[in-house]
């Protein structure tokens, strides 16, 4: 395969492009931190789905409680993802949530009655506070992570030595959260007005267009790892559904699962229609279209290289079909061909739009593979929920034919170097995790060139001191499917499922 790299010339520190780079790097870092709390939700989804299917209220409740406490999950997840040490940061995030919300409630005069009857307010961990949803959790988590990174090694006078170092982090966080709690009531109303305005747009009269834009943008951001910034607002913030008990639920995913728990068979209410519209559009893509693209790429591989191509493509297709993880497929073509990259993004948008127009109501707990299709589409339908799961087949089969045709034509017409097309195609290298970690460190400039090492599903996410020391060709030679440079110092290496193990070994001092 060819090396896939997105990089730019170095800019002066204060140039607009340099500022944009730094902003993208920060967004990528925040997006990375969201993966931890989001990765918990498949467990909640499965508990709800199986609890409903088999009539086990306790199991339904166990899943529902996770969705009901998303702010605290995002607080802890963001803190762990952004800090250099997880335990203290997680404790500090809990401190921040408690102190911040208590201060907000008291300073703004929010009573229990207001929190349970007015959608502008909410009970957060039993504390009357502003309705900030997952944004409140993110604010607390980011505060805790910053306090950890700033103060975890602080030195204090000897008589205060017990409170030095990591013990100082929760203390500093508590004071920071107190200040935030005093400030937030003064401007959060304006933020909430903005959120309500955006929510009204995306859930307004032209929802077919909204679903298209959502799906197109999410796929378009995949190469840069910024899609994790795009979809949380739609899943956890935009839209409003009031439960039977009067609780206000926000966000397409949260609303869908609450409706499942409460037995709302048509996934519609007076305030929110079409639950699932910002999740279901990927099922045709994952189950049909991208596997068909893999078949097309395999058949366009040179005969002598088909065995190598089959190992890469069929494994990627199976991963995509079962789990909905698409990067092993998409990174075989999105940097090779801008046309196929654009075609894939437009097709994803159309998939969302047509699923909405067919009145489908499917959800995904994490990613839209067959596992989610079965548990959150077929099983609820067997209990009378109107998921209309067959719409994924009606949309997916034509998409599969289209992908197969377009990919074969485009690869042949432009002689694209998809897997198996190069004359000097390399055999896959079988390396142990230790060997792969050592070589990865060598090709990113050594441990001394790293300031941060984390991972998400398929990506090793690095912050480096000197990006010029990153050897993209070397990383490709040891199995990386792509190397992306985000911002001034961010590097993402697409290793597939091995990314997490490489990150763990590096952080453990390998």
């Amino acid at each position: 395969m060819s090396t896939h790299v997105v990089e730019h010339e170095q800019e002066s520190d204060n140039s607009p492009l340099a500022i944009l780079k730094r902003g993208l790097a920060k967004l990528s870092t925040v997006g990375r931190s969201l993966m931890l709390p989001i990765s918990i939700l498949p467990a909640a989804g499965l508990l709800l789905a199986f609890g409903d299917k088999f009539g086990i209220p306790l199991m339904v409740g166990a899943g529902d409680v996770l969705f009901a406490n998303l702010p605290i999950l995002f607080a802890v997840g963001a803190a762990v993802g952004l800090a250099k040490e997880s335990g203290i940061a997680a404790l500090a995030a809990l401190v921040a949530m408690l102190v911040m919300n208590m201060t907000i409630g008291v300073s703004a005069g929010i009573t229990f009655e207001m929190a349970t009857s007015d959608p502008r307010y909410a009970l957060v961990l039993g504390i009357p506070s502003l309705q900030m949803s997952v944004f409140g959790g993110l604010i607390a988590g980011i505060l805790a992570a910053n306090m950890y990174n700033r103060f975890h090694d602080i030195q204090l006078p000897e008589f205060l030595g017990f409170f030095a170092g990591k013990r100082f982090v929760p203390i500093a966080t508590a004071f920071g959260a107190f200040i935030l709690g005093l400030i937030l009531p003064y401007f959060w109303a304006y933020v909430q007005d903005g959120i309500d305005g955006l929510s009204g747009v995306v859930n307004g009269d032209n929802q077919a267009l909204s679903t298209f834009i959502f799906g197109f943008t999410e796929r378009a951001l995949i190469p840069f790892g910024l899609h994790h910034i795009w979809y949380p607002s739609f899943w956890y913030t935009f839209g409003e559904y009031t439960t039977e008990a009067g609780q206000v639920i926000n966000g397409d995913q949260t609303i869908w699962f609450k409706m499942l728990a409460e037995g709302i068979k048509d996934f519609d209410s007076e305030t929110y229609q079409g639950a699932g519209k910002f999740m279901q559009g990927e099922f045709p893509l994952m189950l049909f279209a991208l596997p068909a693209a893999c078949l097309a790429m395999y058949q366009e591989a040179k005969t002598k290289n088909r065995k190598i191509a089959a190992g890469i493509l069929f494994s990627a297709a199976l991963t995509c079909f079962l789990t909905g993880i698409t990067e092993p497929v998409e990174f075989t073509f999105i940097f090779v061909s801008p046309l196929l990259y654009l075609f894939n993004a437009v097709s994803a948008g159309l998939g969302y739009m047509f699923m909405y127009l067919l009145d489908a109501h499917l959800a995904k707990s994490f990613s839209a593979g067959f596992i989610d299709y079965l548990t959150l589409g077929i099983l609820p339908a067997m209990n009378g929920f109107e998921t209309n799961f067959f719409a994924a087949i009606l949309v997916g089969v034509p998409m599969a034919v289209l992908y197969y045709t377009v990919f074969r034509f485009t690869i042949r017409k432009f002689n694209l170097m998809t897997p198996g097309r190069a004359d000097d195609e390399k055999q896959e290298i079988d390396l142990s995790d230790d060997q792969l970690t050592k070589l990865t460190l060598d090709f990113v400039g050594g441990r001394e060139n790293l300031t941060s090492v984390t991972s998400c599903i398929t990506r090793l996410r690095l912050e480096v001191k000197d990006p010029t020391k990153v050897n993209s060709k070397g990383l490709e030679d040891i199995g990386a499917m792509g190397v992306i440079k985000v911002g001034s110092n961010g590097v993402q290496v697409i290793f597939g499922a091995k990314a997490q193990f490489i990150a763990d070994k590096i952080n453990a001092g390998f």
Side-chain angles (χ1 to χ4, degrees):
M1 290 187 291
S2 61
T3 308
H4 311 315
V5 184
V6 176
E7 55 185 324
H8 306 281
E9 297 295 325
Q10 293 292 318
E11 300 291 324
S12 62
D13 287 345
N14 297 316
S15 69
L17 188 53
I19 293 171
L20 177 61
K21 283 181 178 182
R22 290 195 292 269
L24 288 175
K26 292 294 184 185
L27 280 177
S28 178
T29 302
V30 173
R32 170 191 77 198
S33 72
L34 298 182
M35 291 307 299
L36 181 59
I38 290 173
S39 68
I40 298 170
L41 299 183
L46 289 173
L47 285 167
L48 274 168
F50 284 110
D52 173 75
K53 170 59 183 172
F54 298 111
I56 308 173
L58 181 60
M59 187 176 286
V60 171
D64 189 36
V65 73
L66 292 176
F67 284 103
N69 289 281
L70 284 176
I72 191 64
L73 296 181
F74 272 77
V76 174
V80 170
L82 293 171
K84 297 176 182 179
E85 198 273 338
S86 58
I88 299 297
L91 176 61
L94 290 172
V95 170
M97 283 291 288
L98 293 168
V99 173
M100 183 180 74
N101 283 289
M102 178 60 72
T103 307
I104 288 171
V106 173
S107 64
I110 303 170
T111 65
F112 181 86
E113 291 73 20
M114 293 165 64
T116 54
S117 61
D118 191 327
R120 294 174 299 172
Y121 309 114
L123 286 175
V124 182
L125 299 175
I127 303 168
S129 184
L130 291 170
Q131 174 60 275
M132 295 187 291
S133 189
V134 297
F135 285 112
L138 282 175
I139 291 170
I142 291 171
L143 171 67
N146 284 333
M147 289 299 178
Y148 178 85
N149 293 335
R150 181 181 295 269
F151 295 120
H152 72 278
D153 56 356
I154 190 173
Q155 299 292 322
L156 295 175
E158 187 173 347
F159 70 95
L160 294 175
F162 178 80
F163 301 103
K166 294 178 180 179
R167 292 191 183 95
F168 187 75
V169 173
I171 299 172
T173 303
F175 280 97
F178 177 75
I179 294 171
L180 273 178
L182 293 175
I183 296 172
L184 281 170
Y186 288 99
F187 70 85
W188 186 257
Y190 301 104
V191 176
Q192 190 62 54
D193 287 343
I195 292 172
D196 291 343
L198 288 172
S199 179
V201 171
V202 301
N203 293 293
D205 294 333
N206 201 342
Q207 294 188 40
L209 178 60
S210 294
T211 53
F212 172 82
I213 293 172
F214 173 82
F216 172 83
T217 305
E218 185 186 34
R219 285 296 105 185
L221 291 174
I222 284 282
F224 311 101
L226 297 176
H227 54 300
H228 300 309
I229 294 294
W230 172 250
Y231 64 77
S233 293
F234 293 83
W235 283 16
Y236 310 119
T237 303
F238 296 152
E240 183 178 292
Y241 163 65
T242 304
T243 68
E244 296 173 352
Q247 180 186 9
V248 175
I249 304 297
N250 299 106
D252 192 51
Q253 188 187 64
T254 318
I255 289 171
W256 191 97
F257 280 105
K258 177 57 74 172
M259 288 181 170
L260 178 71
E262 294 198 335
I264 309 298
K265 303 289 186 180
D266 60 359
F267 294 101
D268 278 333
S269 72
E270 291 183 4
T271 56
Y272 195 83
Q273 293 79 45
K277 59 195 169 192
F278 296 118
M279 296 183 285
Q280 63 195 8
E282 290 182 351
F283 284 102
L285 192 71
M286 290 16 173
L287 299 180
F288 298 96
L290 288 176
C294 289
L295 178 61
M297 287 188 280
Y298 168 75
Q299 293 190 325
E300 288 300 320
K302 294 184 177 181
T303 304
K304 65 178 182 179
N305 294 331
R306 282 195 170 180
K307 184 176 180 181
I308 301 171
I312 297 170
L313 292 169
F314 292 161
S315 173
L318 182 62
T319 299
C320 176
F321 178 83
L322 287 177
T323 68
I325 296 173
T326 63
E327 288 168 317
V329 178
E330 289 174 308
F331 275 87
T332 63
F333 67 82
I334 55 178
F335 293 125
V336 172
S337 171
L339 283 176
L340 291 179
Y341 163 66
L342 181 61
F343 168 75
N344 186 54
V346 171
S347 298
L350 291 172
Y352 272 92
M353 184 176 73
F354 285 126
M355 289 290 283
Y356 170 77
L357 292 174
L358 288 171
D359 199 32
H361 302 290
L362 284 80
K364 58 179 183 177
S365 61
F366 185 67
S367 201
F370 183 76
I371 296 171
D372 274 356
Y373 185 64
L374 173 65
T375 56
L376 304 177
I378 296 175
L379 290 183
M382 294 171 65
N383 272 15
F385 285 89
E386 298 172 16
T387 61
N388 297 333
F389 64 88
F390 199 77
I393 300 173
L394 295 178
V395 177
V397 170
M399 282 184 68
V401 174
L402 182 63
Y403 265 65
Y404 179 81
T405 304
V406 168
F407 269 71
R408 290 207 68 174
F409 172 81
T410 306
I411 291 168
R412 188 173 298 182
K413 175 71 174 178
F414 298 102
N415 191 29
L416 302 179
M417 292 296 105
T418 49
R421 297 279 294 173
D423 290 326
D424 59 344
E425 197 78 19
K426 296 181 177 66
Q427 295 283 344
E428 288 191 86
I429 301 175
D430 185 17
L431 297 172
S432 68
D433 288 349
D434 286 351
Q435 291 171 320
L436 188 57
T437 303
K438 181 182 183 304
L439 290 170
T440 298
L441 278 171
D442 291 341
F443 289 131
V444 298
R447 185 181 303 279
E448 62 276 7
N449 194 39
L450 300 176
T451 58
S452 173
V453 180
T454 57
S455 68
C456 61
I457 306 170
T458 59
R459 303 176 191 231
L460 183 65
R461 293 176 178 254
L462 310 172
E463 291 290 323
V464 299
K465 297 175 184 176
D466 184 357
T468 64
K469 292 183 178 181
V470 177
N471 184 342
S472 300
K473 180 63 167 59
L475 291 166
E476 174 215 340
D477 288 342
I478 61 172
M481 290 170 280
V483 179
I484 308 168
K485 295 185 179 179
V486 181
S488 301
N489 300 92
V491 178
Q492 300 176 8
V493 189
I494 292 78
F495 271 124
K498 288 183 177 289
Q500 175 183 337
F501 302 107
I502 297 172
D504 289 344
K505 285 183 174 294
I506 293 175
N507 286 323
F510 177 85

